[in-house]
Structures are given as structure tokens and as C-alpha cells.
């Protein structure tokens, strides 16, 4: 792997906590919708961080070989549009890494706390 040409997106990077392990794999880019998250990450890490609408990424087509979306897709308002945008900026044959809460866990939480989705921002 040639790190200089291997671009990786941390989609919904939050405070940048995944920077340390993703950055080892290539050129790190982190995006988030909250300016305060990006400001924190920029102070702590040396990656390229930007405030970005998850449904309109500010990158050219096929820019990333990898996209990591950890615990973020359950928060986007329009999943179909967001996934289309991820597909647009991901190289053909690139890899998308996704982690979302398990459906069974989400259903169980709703039985304990009916307002759970609203509290944590899940759509």
C-alpha cells in the first residue's frame, strides 16, 4: 500500500477518536456535521478534518479507497441519499466499513426507554 495515494474517509468522525488506527492505513480525512467536534479533532490530531453535510460530501468522485462509518449511519436523516453520496466518493472496488447498533439491541432499548431513539439521535 502506498500511503501517499491511499485516501481514507472517516465519515462522521466525531471527536476524531478513530484517527490513530485509520491514519496508519493511508491519508486520513475526517468529516462531521458538528463544528465543535471538528475543532476538537483538529487540535488533537494532524489529519484533514472538515465540517461536511453527510448528504453532500465536498470531495471529488472516486476520491477514497476506503470509507469508515462507525456508529453514524443510524443518525443520518436520509440514509438513501447519504449512501449514494458515499458511493459517489468511494473508488470503484473500494471498501466501505460500517458499524451500526444491532437491531435486537435497539428494540430491547426501546422497551426500557420508549424515548431512546430521540435521546440518542437515532433515526
Amino acid at each position: 500500500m502506498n500511503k501517499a495515494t491511499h485516501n481514507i474517509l472517516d465519515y462522521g468522525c466525531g471527536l476524531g477518536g478513530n484517527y490513530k488506527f485509520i491514519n496508519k492505513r493511508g491519508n486520513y480525512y475526517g468529516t462531521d456535521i458538528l463544528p465543535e467536534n471538528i475543532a476538537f479533532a483538529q487540535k488533537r490530531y494532524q489529519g484533514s478534518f472538515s465540517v461536511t453535510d453527510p448528504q453532500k460530501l465536498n470531495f471529488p468522485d472516486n476520491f477514497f479507497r476506503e470509507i469508515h462509518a462507525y456508529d453514524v449511519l443510524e443518525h443520518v436523516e436520509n440514509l438513501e441519499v447519504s449512501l449514494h453520496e458515499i458511493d459517489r466518493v468511494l473508488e470503484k472496488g473500494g471498501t466501505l466499513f460500517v458499524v451500526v447498533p444491532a437491531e435486537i439491541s435497539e428494540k430491547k432499548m426501546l422497551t426500557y426507554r420508549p424515548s431512546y431513539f430521540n435521546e440518542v439521535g437515532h433515526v
Side-chain angles (χ1 to χ4, degrees), residues 4 7 19 28 35 38 48 55 59-60 63-65 67 69-70 72 81 86 94 102-103 108 110 113:
N7 295 324
Y19 171 82
Y28 178 95
I38 294 302
S48 175
Q55 296 179 31
F59 301 102
F63 189 72
F64 297 104
R65 186 177 302 167
I67 297 179
Y70 300 125
V72 67
V81 171
I86 287 170
E103 182 179 11
K108 192 67 164 174
L110 285 172
R113 296 181 71 119

Side-chain angles (χ1 to χ4, degrees), residues 27-92:
N27 298 322
Y28 178 95
Y29 293 81
T31 62
D32 201 89
I33 63 169
L34 297 176
E36 58 271 24
N37 285 353
I38 294 302
F40 180 89
Q42 287 173 326
K43 289 178 186 173
R44 193 160 189 200
Y45 305 108
Q46 295 183 2
S48 175
F49 294 93
S50 60
V51 177
T52 306
D53 179 343
Q55 296 179 31
K56 187 164 177 34
L57 298 172
N58 297 324
F59 301 102
D61 295 355
N62 306 306
F63 189 72
F64 297 104
R65 186 177 302 167
E66 296 178 15
I67 297 179
H68 298 249
Y70 300 125
D71 295 312
V72 67
L73 292 178
E74 66 274 14
H75 297 276
V76 299
E77 290 186 30
N78 189 325
L79 184 59
E80 185 176 346
V81 171
S82 295
L83 288 174
H84 183 272
E85 191 64 359
I86 287 170
D87 183 56
R88 180 187 67 76
V89 300
L90 184 62
E91 285 180 9
K92 302 311 172 216

Side-chain angles (χ1 to χ4, degrees), residues 100-112 116-117:
V100 294
E103 182 179 11
I104 193 165
S105 299
E106 294 285 88
K107 286 181 179 178
K108 192 67 164 174
M109 284 302 297
L110 285 172
T111 63
Y112 296 130
Y116 168 70
F117 280 1

